[in-house]
Amino acid sequence: MSGPFVDGFARAVRALADAKSVAAFTGAGVSAESGVPTFRGADGLWEGHSIEEVATPEAFHRDPVLVWRFYEERRKRMGSVEPNAGHAALPRLEKLLGEVPVITQNIDGLHASAGSTRVIELHGSLWRARCAAGCGRVEDPFPYPSPQVPPLCDCGGMLRPEVVWFREALPEDAVRDALAAAEACEVMLVIGTSGVVWPAAGIPGLAREAGAFTIEINPTRSELTAEMDVSLRGPSAVLLPELVEAVTRARGDAGPKSP
């Protein structure tokens, strides 16, 4: 049996089995397979609200109660969501190959729940809050449900969800860590992302420019497909476990390689 998928899968297995350093870059598609609601409808509205009403700094200053209630609803809906087999495959790969940094655009916390030990959250987290008044305090984790809406910091200022809103810059520490992981890896897995959200979408390209072998796992073509070394079509909850099993067989052991 041969063909583009089989040949690509075999190339991906060889690259991972031989790698001394692997990183993953994930998008909303990974969590969608767990049933995480997208919140954005076909009409562009988030639960009946425009982006300008619930996902910008201006929206928070204009109506913090509305914004907090929106994010409380998101956290409520996450209560019944569990990591899927795709999430779980990454910590299994980590046990096999050593640390696998997961650079994610998702804010749901499912990678950490699945057991990945180093998760770099480019867009923040639903489960943290920080002071909007500028004192710098971050509450991690922030309790759910919130004790009051909007919650207040000890300094008296309002706390806001620790997520990156539209027109906000990505957190400097997360960007620094993501760039370092991308430049250091020999193989990068690019999983469940459309490749349209910038500047995050530029990270796989940086990894490839630094010499990494790039493996895309996505049900459909993305904006990043053309620059991938291998592109595998299918859900990550199916393909990632299969890939990890094949890498385990190819290596013939269960321990990480020596550097």
Side-chain angles (χ1 to χ4, degrees):
M1 182 178 179
S2 63
F5 178 88
V6 175
D7 293 342
F9 190 89
R11 290 179 66 203
V13 170
R14 285 196 299 270
L16 287 166
D18 292 339
K20 294 180 181 177
S21 57
V22 176
F25 178 83
T26 71
V30 177
S31 292
E33 294 176 38
S34 285
V36 174
T38 63
F39 284 84
R40 185 182 298 191
D43 54 7
L45 298 180
W46 288 23
E47 293 295 287
H49 300 288
S50 69
I51 288 170
E52 287 73 18
E53 289 180 305
V54 294
T56 67
E58 294 80 10
F60 181 75
H61 290 297
R62 182 171 58 248
D63 195 341
V65 172
L66 173 64
V67 171
W68 260 108
R69 284 178 175 164
F70 173 76
Y71 282 94
E72 286 285 279
E73 181 64 22
R74 295 190 74 172
R75 298 205 289 169
K76 177 181 178 181
R77 293 196 182 188
M78 282 298 302
S80 60
V81 175
E82 298 289 339
N84 60 55
H87 292 106
L90 291 174
R92 286 174 55 205
L93 190 65
E94 184 174 318
K95 290 179 181 178
L96 186 65
L97 302 178
E99 183 181 75
V100 177
V102 179
I103 306 163
T104 187
Q105 300 170 87
N106 301 333
I107 62 174
D108 49 49
L110 291 177
H111 283 301
S113 295
S116 288
T117 59
R118 186 181 175 205
V119 181
I120 303 167
E121 295 171 316
L122 291 175
H123 294 156
S125 171
L126 276 175
W127 309 107
R128 295 194 298 268
R130 67 177 169 86
C131 182
C135 82
R137 179 179 178 183
V138 174
E139 291 201 24
D140 180 16
F142 186 72
Y144 170 78
S146 173
Q148 65 183 85
V149 175
L152 299 179
C153 178
D154 288 347
C155 75
M158 286 186 292
L159 292 172
R160 55 160 282 180
E162 175 74 329
V163 297
V164 177
W165 285 326
F166 291 89
R167 297 194 289 275
E168 288 189 318
L170 301 183
E172 291 183 5
D173 56 345
V175 171
R176 181 186 63 247
D177 292 347
L179 293 178
E183 292 172 353
C185 69
E186 293 182 359
V187 176
M188 174 168 277
L189 291 161
V190 182
I191 311 163
T193 179
S194 62
V196 299
V197 180
W198 287 79
I203 289 175
L206 292 175
R208 194 160 190 262
E209 289 174 7
F213 187 89
T214 51
I215 303 167
E216 179 184 47
I217 297 175
N218 217 42
T220 60
R221 284 184 63 87
S222 74
E223 292 296 316
L224 302 178
T225 298
E227 64 185 66
M228 297 290 104
D229 291 298
V230 168
S231 189
L232 302 177
R233 290 285 164 270
S236 58
V238 174
L239 290 183
L240 265 176
E242 291 179 352
L243 200 56
V244 173
E245 288 296 333
V247 172
T248 302
R249 291 193 298 269
R251 283 175 49 87
D253 63 33
K257 283 192 172 186
S258 301

